[in-house]
Amino acid sequence: MNVPRASLEMEPPRVAVVSDYTLATLGGAENAFAEQVRALASVTRVLAVCPPSERLALLGTYSGVETCAVPVSFVVPGLGFPVARNTTRLRRLLRRAFVSAGVEVVHLHSEFGIAAAAIAVARDLGIPVVQTVHTFFWQSQASVQTLLSLLGPAFYKAMTGFVYSGRDLAARAGDSALRNMTLSTALKVDAVVSPSAHQAARLLEAGLRRVHVLPNTVQWNHSARPVRDVEGPLRVLWVGRFAPEKRVLPFLRSSVAALNRVGPGALQVDLIGSGPEFRAAQRLAGGRVGIRLHGRVPSEKIPKRLAQAHVTALTSIGWDNQPMTVAESIMALRGVIWSDPKLTEGLSEAGIAAFGADTTRLADRLTALAGDPSPVLAASESARGARTTFGTERFVNDILGVYRSATHPPTASL
């Protein structure tokens, strides 16, 4: 089923959006997947391909969206990561789904077995493959660096059947192994999308040639209103996975220090999410007035929580490439207190800097904002203009351009 190039240029192509990750996990890559499926469905037919979940089934109720639930072998305990190998059976399943849906472009959001099978099927059908990379800043704890460096290449090859690139991509061997998994798959596709400019620069340095910078998208929040004043305590919202890379515990330490200075009458900190450090976060919060841990909250309820906050906080450093929480905050007309100066999309307009890993610096920023919230009001107003960065119209226009630029892959063995 070779697709004439003219068909990609005359009208939007029918797209298979593919991920190894389950939508049952409320992570940034998963949310980006769902948002992009909905955005694309406004102009073309979309086949959403990933492991089964209630959220995938719900996505299939949207006009223009079909779904293909891919069975997995097992789910890694603690991580919620579903494992599916690139097998003949999986390739047959995807081929039937692609042909039935008339897929003309495959758009990946991951790099493991399901993604590899999708690449193989696309090669066989003669259709282009685009990949959005979310994971080039993967890192792990020091205790597992050696294990990752030893087992990572074998695991990747077993899942995908692809050659592992084995390049020097990080200072620590385990982190380099993780990033090589991402790179090895990206080297197999026709065009790569990076949601951020700073990740795109690193991908180009690693040897990729065709990298397009295209921020993630979020549906317009038409009910959003800017923060005009702060009555009562300044309400700060943190949303994310309770894990070391998100720096949730340092954020809590900073919040506790700020509350010790100004009191709960001036500052209220709310955290949404779950993960391996949730219990440690509970102990650190200690039932303190002024800090609330809400656990997991369905993604469709996040806009309401954003509307109840004055500002959000993003405390990761060196991990995120372009967090969905930034897009969601700005669409809700909320500024973002952020710690990583390399993150710029939307934040150059609506960000409130608290750069660096020093918890005292972040505590000082929270204390200052509680006393004088004028930067919060200014960031909220600036978010008006920054919203276009993440708007669905811009995303659809730009991603269709990427699809048109993607050349047909050679019919070579992988």
Side-chain angles (χ1 to χ4, degrees):
M1 193 184 79
N2 289 317
V3 180
R5 292 303 304 164
S7 70
L8 299 187
E9 306 198 359
M10 294 186 324
E11 61 183 25
R14 286 161 288 184
V15 185
V17 184
V18 179
S19 178
D20 286 88
Y21 307 124
T22 170
L23 296 183
T25 302
L26 298 178
E30 295 83 354
N31 288 341
F33 174 97
E35 291 284 356
Q36 291 184 24
V37 165
R38 287 193 288 264
L40 285 164
S42 67
V43 298
T44 189
R45 298 291 300 178
V46 182
L47 176 67
V49 182
C50 65
S53 67
E54 290 184 8
R55 194 175 174 197
L56 177 64
L58 178 62
L59 196 58
T61 66
Y62 282 82
S63 176
V65 179
E66 299 176 57
T67 63
C68 175
V70 178
V72 301
S73 301
F74 63 94
V75 176
V76 178
L79 297 177
F81 175 64
V83 176
R85 292 182 62 242
N86 174 12
T87 62
T88 301
R89 183 178 180 181
L90 176 54
R91 292 192 296 274
R92 286 174 179 167
L93 183 153
L94 294 184
R95 184 186 176 92
R96 288 194 298 268
F98 288 4
V99 171
S100 176
V103 169
E104 298 167 287
V105 173
V106 173
H107 186 162
L108 309 177
H109 279 260
S110 62
E111 47 276 305
F112 293 106
I114 299 174
I119 293 172
V121 172
R123 292 286 186 265
D124 186 48
L125 296 176
I127 57 180
V129 183
V130 172
Q131 182 187 10
T132 292
V133 171
H134 299 280
T135 53
F136 204 59
F137 297 125
W138 262 343
Q139 52 189 271
S140 190
Q141 298 176 3
S143 59
V144 296
Q145 290 292 311
T146 300
L147 187 66
L148 280 172
S149 66
L150 293 174
L151 299 184
F155 170 80
Y156 175 80
K157 185 170 178 55
M159 291 300 100
T160 65
F162 290 168
V163 175
Y164 176 82
S165 63
R167 302 183 187 182
D168 185 9
L169 299 177
R172 300 192 303 180
D175 294 345
S176 186
L178 289 171
R179 298 175 194 190
N180 268 290
M181 297 180 196
T182 300
L183 179 64
S184 297
T185 299
L187 288 166
K188 299 291 185 182
V189 307
D190 304 302
V192 169
V193 173
S194 172
S196 69
H198 80 289
Q199 181 185 247
R202 294 290 297 275
L203 290 169
L204 290 167
E205 290 173 4
L208 293 176
R209 293 183 178 180
R210 305 184 66 184
V211 181
H212 305 260
V213 178
L214 177 52
N216 293 317
T217 189
V218 172
Q219 291 180 309
W220 283 94
N221 185 341
H222 295 289
S223 64
R225 299 292 181 270
V227 180
R228 299 296 188 192
D229 56 55
V230 175
E231 295 182 2
L234 176 72
R235 297 190 295 274
V236 180
L237 178 65
W238 188 99
V239 182
R241 177 172 163 80
F242 281 52
E245 62 270 13
K246 295 294 186 177
R247 300 186 65 250
V248 61
L249 299 184
F251 172 69
L252 275 170
R253 295 187 189 98
S254 298
S255 299
V256 168
L259 279 164
N260 286 340
R261 300 174 192 174
V262 303
L267 180 63
Q268 171 66 48
V269 177
D270 290 271
L271 296 92
I272 290 175
S274 63
E277 292 192 329
F278 188 79
R279 291 188 180 277
Q282 286 180 313
R283 291 192 295 270
L284 189 54
R288 173 184 289 271
V289 176
I291 298 179
R292 293 183 296 217
L293 276 61
H294 299 273
R296 289 171 62 94
V297 171
S299 58
E300 62 270 17
K301 295 185 178 181
I302 294 297
K304 181 179 179 181
R305 298 300 183 106
L306 288 165
Q308 295 168 346
H310 296 121
V311 66
T312 66
L314 175 69
T315 50
S316 64
I317 299 175
W319 169 265
D320 286 301
N321 85 86
Q322 201 272 297
M324 286 294 287
T325 53
V326 171
E328 292 165 344
S329 297
I330 289 175
M331 280 299 186
L333 297 180
R334 295 300 181 264
V336 182
I337 304 167
W338 97 107
S339 300
D340 188 346
K342 292 183 179 179
L343 298 173
T344 58
E345 286 79 8
L347 296 171
S348 56
E349 300 98 333
I352 301 171
F355 295 156
D358 186 349
T359 56
T360 301
R361 185 174 302 170
L362 181 54
D364 290 343
R365 174 60 83 178
L366 292 171
T367 301
L369 293 174
D372 175 16
S374 58
V376 171
L377 309 186
S380 177
E381 186 62 32
S382 295
R384 286 181 179 273
R387 284 189 298 181
T388 58
T389 300
F390 309 107
T392 54
E393 298 89 345
R394 175 176 178 175
F395 170 80
V396 168
N397 180 72
D398 289 353
I399 197 63
L400 291 179
V402 174
Y403 295 161
R404 285 190 290 268
S405 75
T407 59
H408 282 306
T411 56
S413 62
L414 299 176

